[in-house]
Amino acid sequence: MDGLQRGSAAIVGVAESDLGQVADGMSPMDLCAQGITRALADCGLTMKDVDGLFCAMTQQRMSIVSLIEYLGIAPKFIGSSMTGGSSFEFHVAQAMAAVSAGLCNVAVIAYGSTQRSVGRKQASQREVNPYETPFKPFLPASAYALAASRHMHQFGTTREQLAAVAVAAREWALLNPVAWEKKPLTTAEVLSARMVSYPFTVRDCCLITDGGGAVIMTTAERARSLKKPPIYVLGCGQAITHANISSMPDLTVTGALQSGRTAYEMARLGPKDIDVVELYDAFTINTILFLEDLGFCSKGEGGRFVEDGRIAPKGSLPVNTNGGGLSYCHPGMYGLFLLIEATRQLRHECGARQIADCETAIAHGNGGVLSSQSTVILGGEATV
């Protein structure tokens, strides 16, 4: 991205809040603060060091204002761009610009949601769309199902190939102690599960959990003096192509095509240079679309690409190594957790699911109904 300098900022702390179904009475702000406190401890900083704050939520109308009050701080720079689940990848680019320009020195990106505890309908109200609402779609599932159906029609993608994405995610989740799902999953079980919106069964759809977390960023210079190895922001890219699925220019091509190109150009890297891939998998079609649009396979080949365990723990391309939104957690807006897992992989902190010799990672956020896309490429010390 023009004006952003490769490697000028770094992620220095990451943490999740409590996940799954949290204790009664916990609020989204409680989970935000829990994540922030843990992430600050992760890098050896304190709340007094924080002078930049970014957040976005569905349950809190003015989330940044409420979070500032809750934390009792007075940040010099704030950001609350709301692009759905991709918001936090947008925030990384904004925080990078802010710390590089001296507008703040330590920036926190945070999120919290109690959507499982309070119920999804209460956590996220749907807006009326005169072009879609009369048809009574089950959103967001029906919107993503439309993209999946088109991909199947155009490229011959099968339900078994979609199921392979869910099976791989579950295999990764079984290696993650804090993942929600703890039982093995087979292709047959995905296909025979309750149908939600054709071609998706419930196993093609993300979890509904509570959860939150935080990412701490600062300048590359300050990052080198902190507790953990800095994870540098090498590239960022963004794209918004539509709001409603009925206005998507091409149901089989997402804005990841543009955001990925921009991020690769800034990072001076390509798909073959990426060691770990963290993709926003709200539905199984997402992983296939993003693998194509980010250049890991050609358009239309995503279904065949994910067959035979290629993106599973013993496959050739590690994808969604924490279990993803399909099996690890999905508290409404998942993008923050992509950054957390990518950072931990690059710091070699992932135990049984750790990817050997991991130096580069991509975290790709998605928001709305394939509406907003944001790509962040991260790297360890050797990449700068």
Side-chain angles (χ1 to χ4, degrees):
M1 294 176 67
D2 293 344
L4 290 182
Q5 185 179 347
R6 178 189 192 275
S8 60
I11 294 174
V12 293
V14 295
E16 301 133 318
S17 70
D18 292 350
L19 302 174
Q21 182 149 0
V22 298
D24 290 346
M26 290 283 278
S27 72
M29 286 298 157
D30 291 329
L31 297 179
C32 262
Q34 199 177 56
I36 292 169
T37 302
R38 293 174 183 178
L40 288 169
D42 184 53
C43 61
L45 293 171
T46 69
M47 202 70 75
K48 292 180 180 178
D49 296 304
V50 177
D51 58 358
L53 189 63
F54 297 79
C55 72
M57 295 184 200
T58 58
Q59 289 174 266
Q60 204 80 30
R61 189 165 56 88
M62 294 194 295
S63 60
I64 193 74
V65 175
S66 298
L67 187 56
I68 286 170
E69 178 185 79
Y70 187 108
L71 298 175
I73 61 175
K76 294 192 294 183
F77 193 86
I78 62 164
S80 57
S81 297
M82 176 50 156
T83 58
S86 63
S87 298
F88 314 100
E89 283 71 32
F90 279 83
H91 293 166
V92 166
Q94 294 163 9
M96 184 181 195
V99 299
S100 298
L103 299 174
C104 62
N105 192 39
V106 174
V108 169
I109 303 169
Y111 177 63
S113 166
T114 55
Q115 75 159 21
R116 184 177 183 87
S117 295
V118 303
R120 184 179 61 186
K121 288 183 179 180
Q122 186 177 336
S124 180
Q125 295 295 321
R126 290 277 157 199
E127 297 174 11
V128 173
N129 173 357
Y131 302 104
E132 296 180 10
T133 304
F135 298 98
K136 299 181 180 179
F138 179 64
L139 293 174
S142 292
Y144 286 87
L146 192 64
S149 296
R150 182 62 192 176
H151 203 278
M152 292 168 73
H153 170 78
Q154 194 164 334
F155 301 115
T157 308
T158 66
R159 286 188 62 209
E160 287 78 8
Q161 290 168 341
L162 292 171
V165 173
V167 170
R170 183 64 58 87
E171 290 180 16
W172 284 112
L174 295 176
L175 302 175
N176 183 355
V178 298
W180 176 261
E181 292 288 2
K182 295 297 185 186
K183 296 179 181 178
L185 183 67
T186 66
T187 298
E189 287 171 332
V190 177
L191 297 177
S192 64
R194 175 173 57 86
M195 185 62 68
V196 173
S197 189
Y198 186 85
F200 296 150
T201 71
V202 69
R203 295 293 165 234
D204 287 288
C205 306
C206 62
L207 304 172
I208 297 174
T209 69
D210 300 330
V215 168
I216 316 293
M217 290 179 59
T218 188
T219 61
E221 183 180 12
R222 181 164 189 187
R224 295 186 183 101
S225 68
L226 296 177
K227 189 173 170 181
K228 297 283 184 73
I231 301 305
Y232 299 93
V233 181
L234 304 179
C236 299
Q238 299 148 8
I240 295 175
T241 51
H242 60 283
N244 302 292
I245 198 70
S246 55
S247 294
M248 187 172 179
D250 184 332
L251 286 168
T252 67
V253 180
T254 74
L257 187 66
Q258 177 185 327
S259 65
R261 285 174 179 168
T262 304
Y264 287 134
E265 183 179 356
M266 179 178 165
R268 301 195 291 275
L269 297 170
K272 292 181 180 178
D273 301 311
I274 304 299
D275 296 324
V276 173
V277 181
E278 308 295 345
L279 305 175
Y280 197 116
D281 59 338
F283 299 88
T284 49
I285 189 61
N286 292 37
T287 301
I288 289 172
L289 289 172
F290 300 149
L291 286 170
E292 293 174 347
D293 292 341
L294 293 172
F296 294 98
C297 61
S298 298
K299 178 52 66 180
E301 293 182 2
R304 290 183 291 278
F305 185 86
V306 301
E307 287 181 326
D308 302 321
R310 185 180 293 193
I311 63 172
K314 295 180 182 178
S316 58
L317 184 68
V319 175
N320 294 341
T321 51
N322 55 5
L326 291 168
S327 281
Y328 151 62
C329 81
H330 196 292
M333 294 165 64
Y334 179 67
L336 190 74
F337 301 92
L338 302 164
L339 297 163
I340 292 172
E341 178 68 6
T343 298
R344 287 175 173 163
Q345 285 286 349
L346 292 169
R347 297 197 309 201
H348 303 126
E349 295 176 342
C350 291
R353 68 184 191 279
Q354 178 62 48
I355 305 308
D357 304 319
C358 180
E359 289 293 342
T360 57
I362 200 163
H364 178 77
N366 158 76
V369 287
L370 296 169
S371 313
S372 62
Q373 308 296 325
S374 187
T375 309
V376 174
I377 298 174
L378 301 172
E381 193 71 47
T383 64
V384 180

